[in-house]
Amino acid sequence: VHGGCAWCAAHARPLPWRTEPREPWAALVCEIMAQQTQIARVAERFGPFMERFPTPAAMAEADEREVLALWSGLGYYRRARSLHAAARAIVEHHNSVTPTDPDALAELPGVGRYTAGAVASIAGHVRTPIVDGNIARVLVRLEGQDLAHGAAGTARWAWSRAETLADAADADRIAAFNEGLMELGATVCTPGEPDCAACPVRTECVARREGRQREIPRPKATAKRSILHAGAAVVTDGRGRVLLERRPTGGLWGGLWQAPTVDGKTPITAASLRSHVLPDSPNTIELSLGFEFAGETEFRTTHRDVRFRVWRAEARSPMTAKLSALGERRWVGISEFDTIALGSAQRRVLAAGGVSADGVSAAEA
């Protein structure tokens, strides 16, 4: 297995955080960004993010809202809040220097065993194991273990095996070894159709030798997904602006901006949405269109399906301060979308209501 280090050096993807020497803060940022997010998307957003927050101190000094705005498009915004809290902890407890000790890393907000091990081994050359879903799959196939993907027992076995392998690795090769496992799982030993011919450890692989590489790990039983219904109003004014509100902190999409939205366990009606947009006494926006049904769109999160019904309306008079009685609201020019924390689901809703996600009206697109 350790022979894969040379393969990694020759075949690893040229990602922007793979510098020599590795910088611990950059390693921490990219690992947290990559949790449950495609690497291509992370690579696209990493440069601008690091340009604004090149050090933990730079992020610690920033307002959380700015961090969330630059995180837009990466999803799972709790990670951005955790990274912001981790930056402040690094400034306060580590003299603004990102630690490379796995125990110290694991004490930072939002940093689990895998992330701590990845940063420690890749940026600090600490002989410590790492296991995520990709690495577990590589190890299970190599050893021919009849285990289920994502099961607790599979994780325990994989961590034990990874620890044995890390202990046997040369200290100056642990970074290449762990990163090699990452690359194998991400690019070669993939879930459905592994490219065994390209694998540097194919001669050691029990699953390949027994012809079971497509059968293991066994699929994990999928949990039943819940459904959340939502109704959203895309309200524009005569100046090309869109009415947005900030969701409460915490919970689904906490703290992000959205078109005024009501959600619940049953489909949302136009009447309930209208009462959310227009406070009863007195109304603070006059609508020249009323509410016109614009369509439906669905967004899948990790554990649920969010089903949006979207209405659109045009405002005839400007928003007054009274409108904020139901929460923080403001008019936002469509050219400002990239400067606020506006998630993918919210962009999809705006597009359904006639405002495209790239910052131009649907009529102009």
Side-chain angles (χ1 to χ4, degrees), residues 113 127-131 158-168:
R113 186 179 181 185
R127 196 183 285 114
T128 188
I130 58 172
V131 172
W159 275 106
S160 176
R161 183 62 181 137
E163 186 169 14
T164 298
L165 292 170
D167 287 343

Side-chain angles (χ1 to χ4, degrees), residues 52-283:
R52 172 61 186 87
F53 305 119
T55 64
M59 180 174 287
E61 293 170 358
D63 186 272
E64 183 183 272
R65 296 179 183 184
E66 185 180 5
V67 177
L68 291 175
L70 281 173
W71 195 270
S72 292
L74 290 171
Y76 302 97
Y77 287 81
R78 183 177 298 177
R79 296 173 302 157
R81 295 188 180 91
S82 294
L83 182 59
H84 189 225
R88 291 182 168 178
I90 291 169
V91 170
E92 182 177 354
H93 301 296
H94 300 281
N95 198 28
S96 299
V97 177
T98 306
T100 55
D101 175 78
D103 292 333
L105 284 161
E107 292 178 356
L108 297 176
V111 176
R113 186 179 181 185
Y114 167 82
T115 300
V119 175
S121 61
I122 294 171
H125 300 282
V126 178
R127 196 183 285 114
T128 188
I130 58 172
V131 172
D132 63 0
N134 284 338
I135 292 173
R137 182 173 58 254
V138 170
L139 297 178
V140 165
R141 284 174 173 166
L142 274 171
E143 302 291 336
Q145 296 292 310
D146 185 22
L147 295 170
H149 172 73
T154 304
R156 286 193 297 270
W157 178 86
W159 275 106
S160 176
R161 183 62 181 137
E163 186 169 14
T164 298
L165 292 170
D167 287 343
D170 295 334
D172 60 349
R173 305 294 298 280
I174 187 63
F177 173 67
N178 277 350
E179 203 153 43
L181 286 177
M182 293 181 190
E183 286 294 293
L184 276 180
T187 65
V188 175
C189 195
T190 52
E193 290 293 328
D195 187 5
C196 295
C199 181
V201 292
R202 58 186 177 275
T203 59
E204 303 175 43
C205 181
V206 174
R208 177 179 178 272
R209 187 160 60 243
E210 297 177 352
R212 295 191 297 137
Q213 65 269 38
R214 293 174 182 82
E215 301 171 11
I216 57 175
R218 290 181 279 105
K220 183 181 180 181
T222 56
K224 184 177 179 180
R225 300 176 62 81
S226 62
I227 296 174
L228 179 67
H229 294 276
V234 178
V235 182
T236 56
D237 69 1
R239 297 166 57 184
R241 300 180 302 175
V242 184
L243 179 64
L244 298 182
E245 66 182 10
R246 192 193 299 275
R247 290 183 69 91
T249 302
L252 182 65
W253 298 314
L256 301 191
W257 289 93
Q258 63 180 9
T261 300
V262 175
D263 52 52
K265 295 182 179 179
T266 59
I268 305 302
T269 65
S272 63
L273 179 60
R274 186 184 183 93
S275 66
H276 174 70
V277 177
L278 300 173
D280 288 336
S281 55
N283 286 348

